[in-house]
Amino acid sequence: MTTRHLLTLMDLSKKELNQIINRAKELKEIKNRGEIFEPLKNRVLGMIFEKSSTRTRVSFEAGMIQLGGGAIFLSPKDTQLGRGEPIEDTAKVLSSMLDCIMIRTFSHDMVETLAAHSTVPVINGLTDFAHPCQVLADMQTYSEHRGNISGKIVSWVGDGNNMCNSYIIAAEQFDFNLKIACPEGYGPNHHLLDEHKERISLCSTPAEAAENSDLIVTDVWASMGQEEEQRQREIAFKDYQVTKEIMSIANKNAVFMHCLPAHRGEEVSAEVIDGEQSIVWDEAENRLHAQKALLEFLITGNQ
Ligand code: CP
Ligand code: NVA
């Protein structure tokens, strides 16, 4: 049997993605009822983090424990990866001991190499190119609040970063239309735009992107690894804040999402992220439930 991975949302079929989201909702109910459910007893997840994390680390580690297994945090600083051991060799060794590997790093190519040499599932916990686990949780969250996202209009405001790229792929996989407003020179991946152009409209302002929108999403102006560009980005992005005015242009029952961490007063105003249309706390919590469903799917092959 071929080993399945989640490097981008294209690695799962539309049917599988919907199954995982339905399962995430079931696992959330099981947990909320206080039931013990341990399909991953004795299974171990290795978690390689080359970048910081609160939600990703805690949700994967807590998720594995709740499913009866365990997780090991691996920092390149303390492993031989940081001293130059090849990723191919690391993949072979880790897959002989673990049941699944999660990695958060800079280069997407490195994650592809890891997966190519791993005999256990590899999950992308964020690269410079994509953040599929977050968008899986976002899809669960939208569906819990507003029902099926299929046929809806989603607006991306801000940086054309890893989250924006993952929303482009999600538009294809979950069947919605995506309006994107990024400052010039900060747009998303060109290949993705070409590949999924039927699903995408590029807009010149956040206001234009917000028209007829059912969901407005944004993210930080400077992602991890771009800290030195912060000042320059503050100038380039100054008109790309999701404000109350932008939310008022969208459909009346539109919701607001942000993967967090957020910078109030930069990409989003405090009154929007802390306001009634914001569903960011459910979105963050759903990382746990969506990833538990993903781990169960990848590790046990349950479909
Ligand atoms: N949204 C997200 O991935 O958060 P962390 O960086 O805290 O993991
Ligand atoms: N785009 C952000 C997401 C953080 C979860 C980053 O890559 O830093």
Side-chain angles (χ1 to χ4, degrees):
M1 212 175 68
T2 28
T3 307
R4 303 290 302 274
H5 306 290
L6 180 76
L7 308 192
T8 77
L9 291 174
M10 283 313 230
D11 289 332
L12 299 171
S13 69
K14 293 181 183 190
K15 192 170 157 222
E16 287 168 339
L17 287 168
N18 282 304
Q19 274 170 6
I20 289 171
I21 283 170
N22 289 334
R23 185 63 175 152
K25 293 177 188 167
E26 283 171 12
L27 294 175
K28 188 171 182 174
E29 282 168 19
I30 290 173
K31 181 174 180 291
N32 290 345
R33 286 197 299 267
E35 283 172 30
I36 307 283
F37 177 63
E38 298 187 325
L40 300 185
K41 211 166 173 53
N42 294 322
R43 305 297 189 108
V44 184
L45 170 74
M47 307 186 299
I48 303 169
F49 279 96
E50 289 202 293
K51 289 179 175 175
S52 306
S53 169
T54 298
R55 280 144 288 268
T56 305
R57 177 176 178 183
V58 175
S59 54
F60 270 111
E61 192 161 339
M64 280 305 293
I65 295 168
Q66 289 166 14
L67 293 172
I72 304 172
F73 176 78
L74 299 162
S75 154
K77 275 189 228 124
D78 312 313
T79 59
Q80 299 290 3
L81 254 182
R83 295 182 60 251
E85 183 166 14
I87 192 72
E88 294 87 343
D89 296 359
T90 306
K92 283 185 201 128
V93 174
L94 291 184
S95 35
S96 71
M97 300 176 187
L98 297 169
D99 299 282
C100 189
I101 302 167
M102 190 241 80
I103 178 163
R104 166 170 287 198
T105 189
F106 296 85
S107 149
H108 196 77
D109 289 352
M110 175 184 165
V111 177
E112 287 180 341
T113 308
L114 175 70
H117 292 85
S118 171
T119 54
V120 299
V122 172
I123 298 172
N124 174 5
L126 182 148
T127 61
D128 289 342
F129 175 65
H131 194 6
C133 293
Q134 180 66 56
V135 178
L136 204 55
D138 288 15
M139 295 298 104
Q140 179 190 347
T141 312
Y142 185 85
S143 135
E144 286 173 349
H145 281 265
R146 293 288 185 268
N148 200 338
I149 201 162
S150 164
K152 302 282 184 189
I153 297 181
V154 177
S155 311
W156 179 269
V157 174
D159 192 17
N161 62 13
N162 43 12
M163 278 295 296
C164 181
N165 289 337
S166 289
Y167 261 89
I168 294 175
I169 300 174
E172 185 70 49
Q173 295 290 66
F174 290 90
D175 195 26
F176 58 81
N177 294 305
L178 183 65
K179 297 174 84 179
I180 300 176
C182 304
E184 218 180 312
Y186 293 95
N189 181 279
H190 287 294
H191 301 295
L192 282 180
L193 281 180
D194 279 353
E195 222 170 308
H196 306 290
K197 53 178 175 292
E198 306 77 36
R199 296 267 167 212
I200 315 289
S201 333
L202 293 177
C203 304
S204 31
T205 60
E208 189 190 332
E211 272 169 35
N212 303 315
S213 180
D214 299 296
L215 163 64
I216 297 197
V217 196
T218 189
D219 188 12
V220 289
W221 289 344
S223 285
M224 289 181 276
Q226 297 171 336
E227 289 77 7
E228 283 175 8
E229 295 174 34
Q230 177 68 27
R231 287 276 167 274
Q232 170 197 331
R233 283 173 173 263
E234 277 171 18
I235 298 163
F237 286 81
K238 68 175 176 24
D239 298 324
Y240 286 76
Q241 183 180 104
V242 179
T243 57
K244 228 175 146 187
E245 291 65 47
I246 295 295
M247 290 305 295
S248 72
I249 296 168
N251 287 341
K252 225 168 138 200
N253 69 346
V255 284
F256 171 78
M257 288 209 253
H258 186 314
C259 64
L260 306 178
H263 293 180
R264 289 170 177 77
E266 290 187 19
E267 74 274 6
V268 60
S269 69
E271 59 182 352
V272 167
I273 196 166
D274 300 318
E276 278 182 358
Q277 287 170 286
S278 170
I279 53 173
V280 298
W281 309 118
D282 289 338
E283 180 187 4
E285 180 191 322
N286 282 338
R287 293 293 303 279
L288 174 68
H289 310 297
Q291 286 158 202
K292 281 168 74 177
L294 175 68
L295 287 163
E296 184 188 38
F297 176 87
L298 290 175
I299 296 175
T300 68
N302 267 351
Q303 295 178 34

